[in-house]
Amino acid sequence: MQNRFSAHIGYLFSDLPLKERIAAAAGVGFTAIEHPLPFSIPPAEMRDTLRRYGLSFSQLSGGTGDASKGEKGLAALPGREIEFREGFNRAVDYAVAVGSPYVHPMAGVPGAASPDHVHDVYRDNIHYAVERTSNTTIKLLIEAISEISIPGYAMPTLEQACNVQDVFGPGNVSLLVDTFHAQANGIKTQDWVVANIHRIGHIHIADYPGRHEPGTGMIDFDAILEALAAHDYHGAIGFEYIPSTSTEHTTAFLSAWKSKQLHQLVP
């Protein structure tokens, strides 16, 4: 079974209207897409569009807050519990309708709230999310987002994400591991994968520094692919990078990645 190569169409093909990005992703060889807020496309229309282009939907976010105000999630924000749960419920319904296996309840930036209060609110909201998805095809996906990207984010390290997962179990909560955020925190993703493959539900690819496409920075992506293959990772590999030029130009690496993956799958 091959991994799905998933285009984050919030970052890629951003010069196109949202629906046109789906066709563009298929056109350069991606086999899946993802977007935190795809709701402007009704779920039936999204499902039909995915089917037309032979794509699947990898993950979306729930309870994100008001993006126009720069909010990055509500799950850890005291006083926003009702808004979080309403947004999360909407995302779950959408995910079920389009066949996405994961919803990501973003933690957010709690500001001056006390750490203990933030912890309690986040734990209660994740408990709600686990209960809400317990009889569905959806699992939770949580991500450590580094301080370099979102200062003050409530869950900036993989260690913290692991602690949350240990409370609720890998059967309920999977980790989204982002190569850029890991490297920003001094972690080599390939080494972390070897020790923690059972925790991972989704991978995000972006080089470091710069957060551009593979080959523009210091990350050893060959080693990451080898580690994933050696440990039978069959989830999606998502590409959430800032294109250094046009998206089409920056996806030239895809054919080589697919060839490497096929080679690794041959006994």
Side-chain angles (χ1 to χ4, degrees):
M1 177 181 177
Q2 277 189 272
N3 305 114
R4 290 164 291 149
F5 282 3
S6 178
H8 190 303
I9 58 172
Y11 280 73
L12 307 187
F13 309 103
S14 60
D15 56 322
L16 298 174
L18 184 59
K19 189 174 180 181
E20 293 180 22
R21 300 177 201 178
I22 301 171
V28 298
F30 288 106
T31 56
I33 62 164
E34 55 192 88
H35 193 285
L37 300 169
F39 308 115
S40 63
I41 301 176
E45 184 178 349
M46 176 65 80
R47 187 173 59 246
D48 290 345
T49 304
L50 293 171
R51 186 181 300 116
R52 183 181 316 133
Y53 293 106
L55 300 170
S56 58
F57 203 106
S58 295
Q59 61 99 14
L60 64 149
S61 296
T64 56
D66 189 340
S68 70
K69 297 179 180 178
E71 292 185 324
K72 301 294 185 180
L74 301 177
L77 272 59
R80 306 289 295 277
E81 291 87 346
I82 292 175
E83 290 173 75
F84 166 76
R85 296 177 188 196
E86 289 174 348
F88 183 80
N89 290 340
R90 180 190 187 194
V92 169
D93 290 342
Y94 193 97
V96 170
V98 304
S100 173
Y102 290 113
V103 173
H104 174 201
M106 294 185 70
V109 180
S114 75
D116 287 345
H117 195 186
V118 168
H119 177 271
D120 290 345
V121 168
Y122 184 70
R123 180 201 58 205
D124 290 348
N125 279 332
I126 296 301
H127 178 77
Y128 171 85
V130 167
E131 290 293 308
R132 174 66 176 80
T133 56
S134 62
N135 293 315
T136 73
T137 56
I138 309 302
K139 288 177 64 174
L140 301 192
L141 195 65
I142 61 173
E143 178 183 18
I145 299 180
S146 60
E147 283 280 339
I148 196 172
S149 290
I150 304 179
Y153 194 73
M155 193 167 62
T157 70
L158 281 167
E159 181 181 7
Q160 289 170 294
C162 289
N163 291 339
V164 173
Q165 188 184 44
D166 288 343
V167 171
F168 296 97
N172 296 311
V173 176
S174 291
L175 300 192
L176 193 170
V177 179
D178 184 293
T179 60
F180 174 84
H181 297 312
Q183 190 67 50
N185 287 327
I187 292 173
K188 289 186 177 180
T189 303
Q190 63 268 31
D191 296 339
W192 198 90
V193 164
V194 170
N196 296 279
I197 190 66
H198 64 287
R199 296 183 178 276
I200 305 171
H202 193 83
I203 299 285
H204 268 169
I205 297 297
D207 217 331
Y208 180 91
R211 203 173 182 176
H212 301 307
E213 66 275 8
T216 57
M218 62 185 291
I219 296 178
D220 185 349
F221 288 104
D222 283 344
I224 292 171
L225 283 176
E226 290 168 6
L228 292 171
H231 291 81
D232 297 320
Y233 175 75
H234 294 309
I237 298 175
F239 295 84
E240 188 191 62
Y241 64 79
I242 301 167
S244 62
T245 59
S246 71
T247 299
E248 290 82 357
H249 181 76
T250 66
T251 57
F253 66 86
L254 266 181
S255 59
W257 279 46
K258 288 181 176 181
S259 296
K260 290 174 185 175
Q261 185 180 47
L262 288 170
H263 175 72
Q264 290 163 350
L265 290 170
V266 174

